[in-house]
Amino acid sequence: MMLDIDHSDKMHHYFSLMCRSERAFLDGLRYFSLGTGLQQGEIMTEFPDSPDREEHFRELYPDCVGFYNDYDPPPHFVPIGGFLAYLDEVCRRYTEDKEEEYKEKVCAYLKAISDRYGHT
């Protein structure tokens, strides 16, 4: 799935891996809703409220989602608002041809993610 939204290659690659199956997509959303990252391929995500975030990243990027790839440094940080907008677009496009039950699950996770991070 390719999106024509201008964001980091790391984030785009992460979501392309997440979109490889319905289960991988829902697992990714579930972990996002819990505030934990889920590694997709070689890329790991980290949310602003992660207790494991390094202190200097916490200070420099307090309201950003981090995308880390040990084989392709440096990490990339996306403001939470941009991340949520991109996630919303990915979900909309990914679920276009899915059944209603699946769409409802995706919407429930999106709401949980938005409730958790939409205030920043």
Side-chain angles (χ1 to χ4, degrees), residues 15-58:
F15 279 109
S16 70
L17 293 171
M18 196 170 130
C19 292
R20 65 187 165 199
S21 76
E22 289 183 7
R23 181 176 178 190
F25 196 78
L26 282 181
D27 283 349
L29 294 178
R30 180 169 53 90
Y31 281 102
F32 290 172
S33 72
L34 299 172
T36 58
L38 177 65
Q39 186 166 347
Q40 299 285 348
E42 68 282 0
I43 301 173
M44 182 68 183
T45 56
E46 183 179 62
F47 287 86
D49 57 351
S50 171
D52 296 327
R53 181 168 275 190
E54 294 180 29
E55 190 60 38
H56 67 281
F57 287 151
R58 188 179 310 280

Short mmCIF file of all heavy atoms in Angstrom, two decimals, residues 15-58:
data_model
loop_
_atom_site.label_atom_id
_atom_site.label_comp_id
_atom_site.label_asym_id
_atom_site.label_seq_id
_atom_site.Cartn_x
_atom_site.Cartn_y
_atom_site.Cartn_z
N PHE A 15 4.61 1.58 8.06
CA PHE A 15 3.20 1.32 7.77
C PHE A 15 3.02 0.37 6.59
O PHE A 15 2.06 -0.40 6.57
CB PHE A 15 2.43 2.62 7.56
CG PHE A 15 2.06 3.27 8.86
CD1 PHE A 15 2.68 4.42 9.28
CD2 PHE A 15 1.09 2.72 9.67
CE1 PHE A 15 2.35 5.01 10.48
CE2 PHE A 15 0.74 3.30 10.88
CZ PHE A 15 1.38 4.45 11.29
N SER A 16 3.91 0.38 5.63
CA SER A 16 3.80 -0.58 4.53
C SER A 16 3.96 -2.00 5.07
O SER A 16 3.30 -2.93 4.60
CB SER A 16 4.80 -0.28 3.42
OG SER A 16 6.11 -0.56 3.81
N LEU A 17 4.83 -2.19 6.06
CA LEU A 17 4.98 -3.51 6.68
C LEU A 17 3.75 -3.86 7.52
O LEU A 17 3.30 -5.02 7.53
CB LEU A 17 6.23 -3.54 7.55
CG LEU A 17 7.56 -3.45 6.81
CD1 LEU A 17 8.71 -3.28 7.80
CD2 LEU A 17 7.77 -4.65 5.91
N MET A 18 3.20 -2.89 8.19
CA MET A 18 2.02 -3.12 9.02
C MET A 18 0.83 -3.53 8.14
O MET A 18 -0.01 -4.31 8.57
CB MET A 18 1.70 -1.85 9.81
CG MET A 18 0.77 -2.05 10.96
SD MET A 18 0.73 -0.54 11.97
CE MET A 18 -1.02 -0.29 12.10
N CYS A 19 0.78 -3.03 6.93
CA CYS A 19 -0.33 -3.30 6.02
C CYS A 19 -0.20 -4.62 5.27
O CYS A 19 -1.00 -4.92 4.39
CB CYS A 19 -0.48 -2.15 5.02
SG CYS A 19 -1.03 -0.61 5.74
N ARG A 20 0.76 -5.43 5.63
CA ARG A 20 0.97 -6.67 4.88
C ARG A 20 -0.10 -7.72 5.16
O ARG A 20 -0.27 -8.66 4.40
CB ARG A 20 2.36 -7.23 5.13
CG ARG A 20 2.59 -7.66 6.54
CD ARG A 20 4.00 -8.04 6.83
NE ARG A 20 4.13 -8.09 8.27
CZ ARG A 20 5.23 -8.05 8.92
NH1 ARG A 20 6.36 -7.98 8.26
NH2 ARG A 20 5.25 -8.09 10.23
N SER A 21 -0.81 -7.60 6.28
CA SER A 21 -1.91 -8.52 6.55
C SER A 21 -2.90 -7.85 7.51
O SER A 21 -2.55 -6.93 8.25
CB SER A 21 -1.41 -9.83 7.17
OG SER A 21 -1.06 -9.66 8.52
N GLU A 22 -4.12 -8.35 7.48
CA GLU A 22 -5.15 -7.80 8.37
C GLU A 22 -4.77 -7.98 9.83
O GLU A 22 -4.98 -7.10 10.65
CB GLU A 22 -6.50 -8.45 8.08
CG GLU A 22 -7.10 -8.03 6.75
CD GLU A 22 -8.47 -8.60 6.49
OE1 GLU A 22 -9.06 -9.25 7.39
OE2 GLU A 22 -8.97 -8.40 5.37
N ARG A 23 -4.20 -9.12 10.14
CA ARG A 23 -3.80 -9.37 11.53
C ARG A 23 -2.67 -8.44 11.96
O ARG A 23 -2.70 -7.87 13.05
CB ARG A 23 -3.37 -10.81 11.71
CG ARG A 23 -2.97 -11.09 13.13
CD ARG A 23 -2.62 -12.52 13.37
NE ARG A 23 -2.21 -12.67 14.75
CZ ARG A 23 -1.66 -13.74 15.23
NH1 ARG A 23 -1.49 -14.80 14.47
NH2 ARG A 23 -1.29 -13.80 16.48
N ALA A 24 -1.64 -8.28 11.11
CA ALA A 24 -0.53 -7.39 11.44
C ALA A 24 -1.05 -5.96 11.63
O ALA A 24 -0.58 -5.24 12.52
CB ALA A 24 0.53 -7.42 10.34
N PHE A 25 -2.00 -5.56 10.83
CA PHE A 25 -2.55 -4.21 10.94
C PHE A 25 -3.27 -4.03 12.28
O PHE A 25 -3.01 -3.05 12.99
CB PHE A 25 -3.50 -3.95 9.77
CG PHE A 25 -3.82 -2.50 9.58
CD1 PHE A 25 -2.91 -1.65 8.97
CD2 PHE A 25 -5.03 -1.99 10.01
CE1 PHE A 25 -3.20 -0.31 8.80
CE2 PHE A 25 -5.33 -0.65 9.85
CZ PHE A 25 -4.41 0.20 9.24
N LEU A 26 -4.14 -4.97 12.62
CA LEU A 26 -4.85 -4.86 13.90
C LEU A 26 -3.90 -4.97 15.09
O LEU A 26 -4.07 -4.26 16.09
CB LEU A 26 -5.93 -5.94 14.01
CG LEU A 26 -7.22 -5.68 13.26
CD1 LEU A 26 -8.21 -6.82 13.49
CD2 LEU A 26 -7.86 -4.35 13.64
N ASP A 27 -2.90 -5.83 15.00
CA ASP A 27 -1.92 -5.93 16.09
C ASP A 27 -1.20 -4.60 16.29
O ASP A 27 -1.01 -4.15 17.42
CB ASP A 27 -0.89 -7.02 15.81
CG ASP A 27 -1.42 -8.42 16.06
OD1 ASP A 27 -2.51 -8.56 16.65
OD2 ASP A 27 -0.74 -9.38 15.65
N GLY A 28 -0.80 -3.97 15.20
CA GLY A 28 -0.14 -2.67 15.29
C GLY A 28 -1.03 -1.64 15.96
O GLY A 28 -0.59 -0.91 16.86
N LEU A 29 -2.29 -1.58 15.55
CA LEU A 29 -3.22 -0.62 16.16
C LEU A 29 -3.45 -0.92 17.63
O LEU A 29 -3.53 -0.01 18.45
CB LEU A 29 -4.55 -0.63 15.40
CG LEU A 29 -4.52 -0.12 13.97
CD1 LEU A 29 -5.91 -0.25 13.35
CD2 LEU A 29 -4.02 1.31 13.90
N ARG A 30 -3.55 -2.20 17.95
CA ARG A 30 -3.77 -2.58 19.36
C ARG A 30 -2.60 -2.09 20.22
O ARG A 30 -2.81 -1.49 21.28
CB ARG A 30 -3.92 -4.09 19.49
CG ARG A 30 -4.15 -4.55 20.93
CD ARG A 30 -4.55 -6.01 20.99
NE ARG A 30 -3.66 -6.91 20.30
CZ ARG A 30 -2.59 -7.50 20.87
NH1 ARG A 30 -2.31 -7.28 22.14
NH2 ARG A 30 -1.83 -8.31 20.17
N TYR A 31 -1.39 -2.33 19.76
CA TYR A 31 -0.23 -1.89 20.54
C TYR A 31 -0.15 -0.37 20.60
O TYR A 31 0.22 0.19 21.63
CB TYR A 31 1.07 -2.50 19.99
CG TYR A 31 1.26 -3.92 20.44
CD1 TYR A 31 1.00 -4.97 19.58
CD2 TYR A 31 1.68 -4.21 21.73
CE1 TYR A 31 1.16 -6.29 19.99
CE2 TYR A 31 1.85 -5.51 22.15
CZ TYR A 31 1.58 -6.56 21.28
OH TYR A 31 1.74 -7.85 21.70
N PHE A 32 -0.48 0.31 19.51
CA PHE A 32 -0.51 1.78 19.54
C PHE A 32 -1.49 2.25 20.61
O PHE A 32 -1.22 3.18 21.36
CB PHE A 32 -0.96 2.36 18.20
CG PHE A 32 0.03 2.22 17.08
CD1 PHE A 32 -0.36 2.56 15.80
CD2 PHE A 32 1.31 1.74 17.26
CE1 PHE A 32 0.51 2.45 14.73
CE2 PHE A 32 2.21 1.62 16.21
CZ PHE A 32 1.79 1.98 14.94
N SER A 33 -2.66 1.61 20.69
CA SER A 33 -3.68 2.04 21.66
C SER A 33 -3.23 1.83 23.09
O SER A 33 -3.72 2.49 24.00
CB SER A 33 -5.01 1.31 21.40
OG SER A 33 -4.94 -0.04 21.79
N LEU A 34 -2.28 0.92 23.29
CA LEU A 34 -1.73 0.66 24.63
C LEU A 34 -0.52 1.55 24.94
O LEU A 34 0.01 1.50 26.04
CB LEU A 34 -1.33 -0.81 24.75
CG LEU A 34 -2.45 -1.82 24.59
CD1 LEU A 34 -1.89 -3.24 24.54
CD2 LEU A 34 -3.47 -1.67 25.71
N GLY A 35 -0.09 2.31 23.94
CA GLY A 35 1.06 3.20 24.14
C GLY A 35 2.40 2.50 24.00
O GLY A 35 3.42 3.04 24.40
N THR A 36 2.37 1.32 23.42
CA THR A 36 3.63 0.61 23.20
C THR A 36 3.87 0.47 21.71
O THR A 36 2.94 0.41 20.92
CB THR A 36 3.60 -0.79 23.84
OG1 THR A 36 2.51 -1.52 23.31
CG2 THR A 36 3.49 -0.70 25.35
N GLY A 37 5.10 0.41 21.36
CA GLY A 37 5.44 0.21 19.96
C GLY A 37 5.46 -1.26 19.62
O GLY A 37 5.57 -2.11 20.50
N LEU A 38 5.32 -1.52 18.36
CA LEU A 38 5.41 -2.88 17.87
C LEU A 38 6.40 -2.86 16.72
O LEU A 38 6.24 -2.08 15.78
CB LEU A 38 4.05 -3.37 17.38
CG LEU A 38 4.02 -4.77 16.75
CD1 LEU A 38 4.37 -5.83 17.80
CD2 LEU A 38 2.66 -5.05 16.15
N GLN A 39 7.42 -3.67 16.82
CA GLN A 39 8.41 -3.69 15.76
C GLN A 39 7.82 -4.29 14.49
O GLN A 39 7.19 -5.33 14.52
CB GLN A 39 9.64 -4.48 16.18
CG GLN A 39 10.75 -4.39 15.17
CD GLN A 39 12.08 -4.86 15.73
OE1 GLN A 39 12.23 -5.04 16.92
NE2 GLN A 39 13.03 -5.06 14.84
N GLN A 40 8.02 -3.58 13.39
CA GLN A 40 7.63 -4.07 12.06
C GLN A 40 8.91 -4.13 11.25
O GLN A 40 9.55 -3.10 11.03
CB GLN A 40 6.63 -3.12 11.39
CG GLN A 40 5.33 -2.94 12.12
CD GLN A 40 4.40 -4.14 11.97
OE1 GLN A 40 4.60 -5.02 11.15
NE2 GLN A 40 3.38 -4.17 12.80
N GLY A 41 9.30 -5.32 10.85
CA GLY A 41 10.57 -5.46 10.15
C GLY A 41 11.68 -4.98 11.05
O GLY A 41 11.79 -5.37 12.21
N GLU A 42 12.49 -4.07 10.54
CA GLU A 42 13.61 -3.55 11.31
C GLU A 42 13.30 -2.22 12.02
O GLU A 42 14.18 -1.63 12.62
CB GLU A 42 14.82 -3.37 10.38
CG GLU A 42 14.66 -2.30 9.33
CD GLU A 42 13.80 -2.67 8.11
OE1 GLU A 42 13.28 -3.80 8.03
OE2 GLU A 42 13.64 -1.82 7.24
N ILE A 43 12.05 -1.79 11.97
CA ILE A 43 11.69 -0.49 12.52
C ILE A 43 10.84 -0.66 13.78
O ILE A 43 9.87 -1.43 13.80
CB ILE A 43 10.94 0.37 11.49
CG1 ILE A 43 11.80 0.57 10.25
CG2 ILE A 43 10.54 1.72 12.10
CD1 ILE A 43 11.10 1.25 9.10
N MET A 44 11.18 0.09 14.80
CA MET A 44 10.45 0.09 16.08
C MET A 44 9.88 1.47 16.30
O MET A 44 10.51 2.48 15.96
CB MET A 44 11.42 -0.28 17.21
CG MET A 44 10.80 -0.35 18.56
SD MET A 44 9.67 -1.77 18.61
CE MET A 44 9.01 -1.58 20.23
N THR A 45 8.69 1.52 16.88
CA THR A 45 8.10 2.81 17.23
C THR A 45 8.19 3.03 18.73
O THR A 45 8.31 2.08 19.51
CB THR A 45 6.61 2.87 16.83
OG1 THR A 45 5.92 1.77 17.44
CG2 THR A 45 6.43 2.83 15.34
N GLU A 46 8.11 4.30 19.11
CA GLU A 46 8.12 4.65 20.52
C GLU A 46 7.24 5.89 20.71
O GLU A 46 7.39 6.87 19.99
CB GLU A 46 9.53 4.94 21.00
CG GLU A 46 9.61 5.24 22.48
CD GLU A 46 11.03 5.50 22.90
OE1 GLU A 46 11.62 6.47 22.38
OE2 GLU A 46 11.55 4.73 23.72
N PHE A 47 6.33 5.80 21.65
CA PHE A 47 5.39 6.88 21.89
C PHE A 47 5.90 7.83 22.96
O PHE A 47 6.76 7.47 23.76
CB PHE A 47 4.02 6.30 22.24
CG PHE A 47 3.35 5.70 21.04
CD1 PHE A 47 3.62 4.39 20.67
CD2 PHE A 47 2.51 6.45 20.26
CE1 PHE A 47 3.04 3.84 19.54
CE2 PHE A 47 1.92 5.92 19.13
CZ PHE A 47 2.18 4.61 18.77
N PRO A 48 5.36 9.05 22.98
CA PRO A 48 5.86 10.07 23.91
C PRO A 48 5.81 9.67 25.38
O PRO A 48 6.64 10.10 26.17
CB PRO A 48 4.98 11.29 23.67
CG PRO A 48 4.22 11.03 22.43
CD PRO A 48 4.28 9.57 22.15
N ASP A 49 4.84 8.85 25.76
CA ASP A 49 4.70 8.48 27.16
C ASP A 49 5.43 7.18 27.51
O ASP A 49 5.23 6.63 28.59
CB ASP A 49 3.23 8.39 27.55
CG ASP A 49 2.43 7.43 26.70
OD1 ASP A 49 2.96 6.93 25.68
OD2 ASP A 49 1.26 7.18 27.04
N SER A 50 6.30 6.72 26.64
CA SER A 50 7.05 5.50 26.92
C SER A 50 8.03 5.72 28.07
O SER A 50 8.84 6.63 28.05
CB SER A 50 7.84 5.06 25.68
OG SER A 50 8.71 4.00 26.02
N PRO A 51 7.96 4.87 29.08
CA PRO A 51 8.91 5.01 30.19
C PRO A 51 10.34 4.67 29.78
O PRO A 51 11.28 5.03 30.48
CB PRO A 51 8.40 4.02 31.24
CG PRO A 51 7.55 3.05 30.49
CD PRO A 51 7.01 3.77 29.29
N ASP A 52 10.50 4.01 28.63
CA ASP A 52 11.82 3.62 28.16
C ASP A 52 12.49 4.66 27.27
O ASP A 52 13.64 4.48 26.87
CB ASP A 52 11.75 2.30 27.38
CG ASP A 52 11.29 1.16 28.26
OD1 ASP A 52 11.62 1.17 29.47
OD2 ASP A 52 10.61 0.26 27.75
N ARG A 53 11.79 5.75 26.97
CA ARG A 53 12.37 6.76 26.07
C ARG A 53 13.58 7.40 26.74
O ARG A 53 13.54 7.77 27.92
CB ARG A 53 11.35 7.84 25.73
CG ARG A 53 11.94 8.89 24.78
CD ARG A 53 10.91 9.79 24.20
NE ARG A 53 10.33 9.15 23.03
CZ ARG A 53 9.54 9.76 22.18
NH1 ARG A 53 9.21 11.02 22.37
NH2 ARG A 53 9.04 9.13 21.14
N GLU A 54 14.66 7.51 25.99
CA GLU A 54 15.87 8.12 26.52
C GLU A 54 15.58 9.57 26.90
O GLU A 54 14.84 10.26 26.22
CB GLU A 54 17.00 8.06 25.48
CG GLU A 54 17.45 6.65 25.19
CD GLU A 54 18.56 6.60 24.16
OE1 GLU A 54 19.34 7.56 24.06
OE2 GLU A 54 18.64 5.59 23.45
N GLU A 55 16.20 10.00 27.99
CA GLU A 55 15.92 11.33 28.55
C GLU A 55 16.14 12.45 27.52
O GLU A 55 15.33 13.37 27.44
CB GLU A 55 16.76 11.57 29.80
CG GLU A 55 16.36 12.81 30.58
CD GLU A 55 14.92 12.78 31.06
OE1 GLU A 55 14.43 11.71 31.46
OE2 GLU A 55 14.27 13.85 31.03
N HIS A 56 17.24 12.40 26.76
CA HIS A 56 17.48 13.49 25.81
C HIS A 56 16.43 13.50 24.69
O HIS A 56 16.06 14.56 24.21
CB HIS A 56 18.91 13.45 25.24
CG HIS A 56 19.22 12.29 24.37
ND1 HIS A 56 19.52 11.05 24.86
CD2 HIS A 56 19.28 12.20 23.02
CE1 HIS A 56 19.75 10.23 23.85
NE2 HIS A 56 19.61 10.90 22.72
N PHE A 57 15.89 12.34 24.29
CA PHE A 57 14.80 12.32 23.32
C PHE A 57 13.51 12.82 23.95
O PHE A 57 12.71 13.49 23.31
CB PHE A 57 14.59 10.91 22.75
CG PHE A 57 15.66 10.47 21.79
CD1 PHE A 57 15.95 9.13 21.66
CD2 PHE A 57 16.37 11.38 21.01
CE1 PHE A 57 16.92 8.70 20.77
CE2 PHE A 57 17.35 10.96 20.13
CZ PHE A 57 17.63 9.62 20.00
N ARG A 58 13.32 12.50 25.22
CA ARG A 58 12.13 12.98 25.93
C ARG A 58 12.12 14.51 25.99
O ARG A 58 11.08 15.14 25.83
CB ARG A 58 12.12 12.39 27.34
CG ARG A 58 10.85 12.64 28.11
CD ARG A 58 10.88 12.02 29.51
NE ARG A 58 11.29 10.63 29.55
CZ ARG A 58 10.49 9.59 29.27
NH1 ARG A 58 9.26 9.80 28.93
NH2 ARG A 58 10.94 8.36 29.35
#
